[in-house]
Amino acid sequence: MRNGTFGFGRFGRSGMVRAVLFVGIIASPGFIGAGREARAQEIALDRILAVVNGDVVTQSDVRAVRRLRLVPLVTNVAPGAVGASAPPTVGALLAAPDDALLTQVIERRLVLAEIARYAPPEPTAEQIAARRAAWAASFPSNTDLAAALRAAGVREAALAAWLRDDIRIAAYLEQRFAAVAQPTRAQAQAYFREHAAEFSSTDFAKVEADVRKNLAADRRAARIGEWIDALVQRAEIRKVSGAPTD
């Protein structure tokens, strides 16, 4: 967490240099004696994993995402969301390889930077409270969430900012991609012929609503993926090799 934020903190180029200098100084042979082990742990915690348009992603950023079950790109926070538009499962997040999770964190930063250009409406307090409740529900019922935040080095305000951005991301994607993802009846029929086994009836008329919903979700996910790919291609991204996240 940096400058009161988490997961979208901005060192900037000068800050990145300071971080690298800090690691270099602390790791130098001149720093020996008592406390060396603690300092080494601090270095590991803040190891730079990637540089994204001049901003850094550190080991602690990615580690906290996994430990706090924070899905980097929630594309739909609506209750009952289905198909490809539904939030990725926590299980998928926890099982994601380190490099894949780092990539998701990088993509989140690029998406938020793009969204900031359009100044979307701020989420309401009710939306943020609902998003926090959904996040809390992803943990076992006996989890001490305050202790989990402390262990990850993340403040409550930083968590709130992350969850607020979840809502902003989902709202922007809905506004931008929902309409273009809606299929025609002919497209829905073609999709049904290819995926008939996935539905409860072989009669298209009986399951047309579900077919349209699934196809729209798939089309929406594909459009979002193409858009994110374009953001990545335009960005200046450098991953630091050989830097594990946990």
Side-chain angles (χ1 to χ4, degrees):
M1 185 177 67
R2 295 176 290 278
N3 299 328
T5 65
F6 165 72
F8 197 46
R10 294 175 177 269
F11 273 140
R13 293 187 184 276
S14 61
M16 180 186 69
V17 172
R18 288 195 298 272
V20 172
L21 287 176
F22 171 78
V23 172
I25 291 170
I26 297 301
S28 68
F31 266 78
I32 58 175
R36 182 171 182 175
E37 181 179 352
R39 285 192 293 270
Q41 291 174 351
E42 186 173 9
I43 294 167
L45 180 67
D46 289 331
R47 180 177 296 169
I48 295 173
L49 301 183
V51 183
V52 185
N53 290 336
D55 298 335
V56 300
V57 181
T58 66
Q59 186 171 4
S60 56
D61 289 334
V62 180
R63 178 181 291 151
V65 165
R66 191 187 299 278
R67 291 181 175 177
L68 294 178
R69 306 185 177 205
L70 297 169
V71 177
L73 283 176
V74 174
T75 59
N76 193 332
V77 297
V82 298
S85 63
T89 65
V90 169
L93 171 70
L94 297 177
D98 291 345
D99 191 64
L101 188 56
L102 172 60
T103 295
Q104 292 177 47
V105 172
I106 291 170
E107 291 174 350
R108 178 185 175 92
R109 293 198 179 187
L110 296 176
V111 167
L112 284 171
E114 184 70 10
I115 291 173
R117 297 173 54 199
Y118 299 95
E122 285 296 311
T124 65
E126 290 76 13
Q127 288 176 315
I128 294 174
R131 182 73 192 110
R132 193 188 193 288
W135 167 78
S138 70
F139 289 85
S141 59
N142 62 344
T143 301
D144 184 338
L145 296 177
L149 286 171
R150 288 194 299 271
V154 175
R155 295 180 181 176
E156 182 69 38
L159 171 67
W162 178 284
L163 299 178
R164 163 185 166 274
D165 283 340
D166 281 349
I167 299 168
R168 294 174 66 236
I169 291 171
Y172 178 84
L173 297 180
E174 179 67 18
Q175 179 183 30
R176 178 162 181 161
F177 295 102
V180 298
Q182 296 305 314
T184 64
R185 193 167 196 271
Q187 289 171 332
Q189 289 173 324
Y191 181 87
F192 177 67
R193 287 193 293 270
E194 295 176 3
H195 301 84
E198 300 174 12
F199 299 95
S200 59
S201 174
T202 57
D203 184 346
F204 174 75
K206 293 181 179 179
V207 294
E208 181 175 355
D210 289 335
V211 173
R212 285 180 172 274
K213 184 182 295 184
N214 286 11
L215 176 54
D218 287 350
R219 285 163 58 91
R220 182 176 183 270
R223 296 290 181 89
I224 292 172
E226 292 168 359
W227 175 67
I228 292 176
D229 287 344
L231 294 181
V232 170
Q233 290 173 6
R234 295 200 303 267
E236 182 182 344
I237 301 171
R238 182 175 62 85
K239 290 185 179 181
V240 179
S241 61
T245 59
D246 212 345

